[in-house]
Amino acid sequence: MIVRDRRLRWPIAPTFEATVRHQVIRSVDRRAKYLLIRLETGTVILHLGMSGSLRLVDAETPYQTHDHWDIALGSGRILRFHDPRRFGSLHWTEEDPAQHTLLKKLAPEPLSDEFNGEYLFTVTRKRALAIKLVIMNSQLVVGVGNIYASEALFRARISPRRAGRRITRAEAVKLSKAIKDVLGAAIKIGGTTLRDYVNADGAPGYFRQKLFVYERAQQPCRVCKSPVKQFTQGQRSTYWCSTCQR
DNA sequence: ATGGGCACCTGGCTGC
DNA sequence: TGCAGCCAGGTGCCCA
């Protein structure tokens, strides 16, 4: 393994290369947005942040700016990590990865049966916080960042300003379905590409074309034609249609 | 227990 | 043409 820049969101541990050297990859899994690569003596926990990507390249492929590390595989190819914003991270654990600090408090997988209307209704009961911020809390919901939060609420026809505890049981059902739908649809077509972000093949994600409200301030709502509104919640932009969403 | 705010980082864009 | 300044994203962490 070659590390060119240890400065990711957290610095890559100085012992990391020596630890993973010569180990066989047993399996690759995922929890929330963390990639789990199980080796013989432990697990690599990797996050792509917002601009990270992994590519499998030939050994002679020259590295480029922001190619922060390479792992040489037994096949002769190289697993290369590229991340302009350096919000990605790389950790090592020899214990059950589910018990790792970064993973142990995470909410259920949003596409699992465990994540449903009843679950969402229950966890929102004592939340005075706006529902948009509630569904962006990884202890309550995982997989929903700023883009999909606005999109899911639009699909569920719920105002992003509504207090979590004011969500009715029926709305919790709608919202849990909207979250599953938006994540499922986005995954299916390669995610959402904004500006310079590309996926592992260097291709953009095409979900941007399917966004109903995100980054569409002033533009007509795709359902009712009234202008999409924008405001700030938790230091982040929220987009919504005040006609469709209540 | 809950919520508010900040931090990390760089490319793209705006405006002088 | 160049450059300073702002904004965007995911999410952990510190403090009230």
Side-chain angles (χ1 to χ4, degrees):
Chain A
M1 178 178 192
I2 293 173
V3 177
R4 298 185 197 83
D5 195 340
R6 316 195 81 83
R7 300 172 303 162
L8 299 186
R9 181 168 185 203
W10 294 277
I12 298 174
T15 53
F16 192 91
E17 296 96 304
T19 302
V20 302
R21 185 175 166 84
H22 294 323
Q23 291 210 41
V24 173
I25 296 174
R26 298 291 195 203
S27 59
V28 177
D29 213 328
R30 181 193 59 73
R31 174 73 178 98
K33 293 181 184 173
Y34 292 93
L35 199 55
L36 307 177
I37 307 173
R38 191 177 301 271
L39 306 185
E40 295 159 74
T41 68
T43 306
V44 174
I45 302 174
L46 186 155
H47 198 292
L48 299 178
M50 63 172 286
S51 60
S53 61
L54 283 173
R55 297 197 200 189
L56 212 44
V57 300
D58 292 327
E60 60 270 20
T61 306
Y63 64 83
Q64 302 189 325
T65 306
H66 307 309
D67 283 345
H68 303 311
W69 55 257
D70 290 347
I71 292 178
L73 302 176
S75 63
R77 294 212 282 179
I78 284 172
L79 183 66
R80 179 164 286 169
F81 178 72
H82 177 86
D83 185 10
R85 306 292 159 103
R86 293 201 274 117
F87 275 18
S89 61
L90 192 61
H91 285 86
W92 171 256
T93 180
E94 299 189 349
E95 290 161 23
D96 175 6
Q99 296 310 309
H100 190 274
T101 314
L102 293 173
L103 306 184
K104 65 183 176 191
K105 291 182 176 172
L106 293 175
E109 284 296 314
L111 300 182
S112 71
D113 291 342
E114 189 186 347
F115 181 81
N116 54 34
E118 205 50 38
Y119 167 83
L120 201 53
F121 184 68
T122 301
V123 301
T124 50
R125 286 314 79 198
K126 291 180 177 170
R127 299 285 170 166
L129 201 60
I131 187 64
K132 188 209 180 204
L133 297 172
V134 170
I135 63 174
M136 289 178 67
N137 178 341
S138 65
Q139 293 189 32
L140 306 178
V141 180
V142 301
V144 177
N146 198 44
I147 300 170
Y148 301 135
S150 285
E151 292 300 309
L153 287 165
F154 177 82
R155 289 176 178 229
R157 302 295 188 260
I158 297 168
S159 164
R161 284 193 171 95
R162 184 105 63 88
R165 62 184 180 204
R166 302 293 182 216
I167 298 298
T168 66
R169 182 175 257 111
E171 286 171 332
V173 170
K174 277 178 75 176
L175 184 53
S176 68
K177 285 180 178 165
I179 289 169
K180 287 172 190 283
D181 287 350
V182 75
L183 292 179
I187 289 167
K188 195 172 178 183
I189 60 173
T192 306
T193 289
L194 299 172
R195 304 176 186 80
D196 55 331
Y197 315 144
V198 295
N199 71 11
D201 302 317
Y206 293 100
F207 196 69
R208 188 176 192 182
Q209 300 163 18
K210 310 259 184 186
L211 297 175
F212 282 95
V213 288
Y214 187 79
E215 279 199 336
R216 295 194 65 247
Q218 325 277 353
Q219 296 176 50
C221 169
R222 294 197 159 135
V223 172
C224 77
K225 309 302 180 200
S226 57
V228 170
K229 295 183 175 179
Q230 174 182 10
F231 69 103
T232 299
Q233 289 181 295
Q235 301 88 236
R236 287 238 166 355
S237 273
T238 297
Y239 298 85
W240 71 305
C241 172
S242 60
T243 304
C244 293
Q245 296 170 255
R246 290 294 159 168

